[in-house]
Amino acid sequence: MKLVLLGPPGAGKGTQAVKIAEKYQIPHISTGDIFRKNVKEGTPLGVEAKKYMDKGALVPDELVVALVNDRLAQEDCRGGFLLDGFPRTVFQAEELDKFLKGEGKALTAVVDLRVDEDELLERMIGRRVCRSCGAPYHVKNMPPKKEGVCDHCGGEVYQRADDTEETVKNRFLVYKEQTMPLVAYYEKAGCLLPIEGTGGPERVFGAIVEALGQ
Ligand code: AMP
């Protein structure tokens, strides 16, 4: 299966991506995670990406496209993949189409998670994540057993620099202006699967599996 996970920031893409990748045994490719890893390691890509990420802006298309093309060319993506957080612009979507076409492939489906904006804001501002293993938490809905400590690996649970209220608002604007057009793009391509993203992670996951039909 060659899948794209689409949806506004805070829609639960990361949570669903882990489940989908596990069920269908495909690599989970999160451009946000790749950038965060590079920022943490202080690589040239990380230093460049951080300038944009801290403001809630998108990293320039050329950087992201080259990164994803490299990743998709790796052996483990032959049987399929799940892209989480990519594409985020029409240009990126067109480049992805070109890349896949060059390999004689096409996307199986684009899962579009839909959540009301007020709920998204509350989800994101309360969002916390483990610095070591990336496990997601929420101050109200899903706090770690011990404050600030990951239940799974004992790592530090922190708030991403781009989950503060000001940055979150900017990320929504960026989503509306640059990423929302992808809904129409994939609708036209006939591979869009709209999924209601509320009612708990298990319900949402069930709806995704049902929509994928396998
Ligand atoms: P995410 O974890 O997917 O919300 O991504 C965090 C940040 O990484 C975004 O706000 C962007 O600054 C950057 N980023 C991740 N994926 C992309 C992408 N496909 N295009 C441009 N910037 C991206």
Side-chain angles (χ1 to χ4, degrees):
M1 272 219 226
K2 298 167 200 70
L3 303 174
V4 163
L5 197 50
L6 199 63
K13 294 194 294 293
T15 305
Q16 294 304 323
V18 172
K19 292 174 180 291
I20 296 169
E22 193 188 0
K23 176 165 171 70
Y24 298 103
Q25 291 290 300
I26 46 178
H28 167 202
I29 303 169
S30 157
T31 41
D33 284 351
I34 297 173
F35 286 135
R36 277 184 289 279
K37 184 165 179 274
N38 277 274
V39 169
K40 199 170 153 187
E41 291 169 359
T43 67
L45 176 67
V47 171
E48 186 60 20
K50 191 174 187 311
K51 295 183 203 158
Y52 302 91
M53 294 170 77
D54 283 352
K55 287 185 285 189
L58 292 184
V59 175
D61 280 336
E62 316 81 68
L63 282 181
V64 193
V65 168
L67 182 98
V68 172
N69 286 357
D70 268 4
R71 182 65 189 88
L72 289 178
Q74 286 170 24
E75 185 65 29
D76 63 333
C77 293
R78 284 221 172 153
F81 52 79
L82 170 65
L83 285 168
D84 161 13
F86 180 93
R88 259 182 157 99
T89 62
V90 170
F91 179 81
Q92 292 178 14
E94 287 168 349
E95 290 297 311
L96 175 62
D97 282 348
K98 267 192 226 161
F99 178 87
L100 292 175
K101 209 169 165 193
E103 300 221 318
K105 296 176 182 165
L107 288 174
T108 313
V110 174
V111 174
D112 180 29
L113 291 179
R114 299 190 170 179
V115 180
D116 167 88
E117 188 165 330
D118 288 342
E119 181 166 343
L120 287 173
L121 262 179
E122 143 137 25
R123 280 190 193 184
M124 291 195 56
I125 291 161
R127 181 156 84 165
R128 301 292 181 271
V129 64
C130 172
R131 211 183 272 282
S132 306
C133 74
Y137 294 95
H138 189 279
V139 282
K140 272 198 222 145
N141 310 335
M142 203 174 40
K145 290 192 188 97
K146 187 170 172 221
E147 201 187 321
V149 180
C150 178
D151 294 348
H152 305 286
C153 75
E156 182 200 355
V157 172
Y158 81 118
Q159 181 178 38
R160 272 169 48 175
D162 58 351
D163 275 348
T164 55
E165 190 157 353
E166 196 191 328
T167 314
V168 163
K169 286 192 172 146
N170 195 36
R171 288 169 72 198
F172 275 118
L173 268 182
V174 167
Y175 173 77
K176 280 187 194 153
E177 284 172 10
Q178 305 196 53
T179 309
M180 277 253 273
L182 292 183
V183 173
Y185 180 93
Y186 285 123
E187 209 159 34
K188 199 167 159 212
C191 59
L192 192 77
L193 295 178
I195 303 286
E196 173 67 42
T198 50
E202 290 309 324
R203 193 212 66 76
V204 177
F205 182 56
I208 293 173
V209 172
E210 198 182 319
L212 288 172
Q214 39 183 314

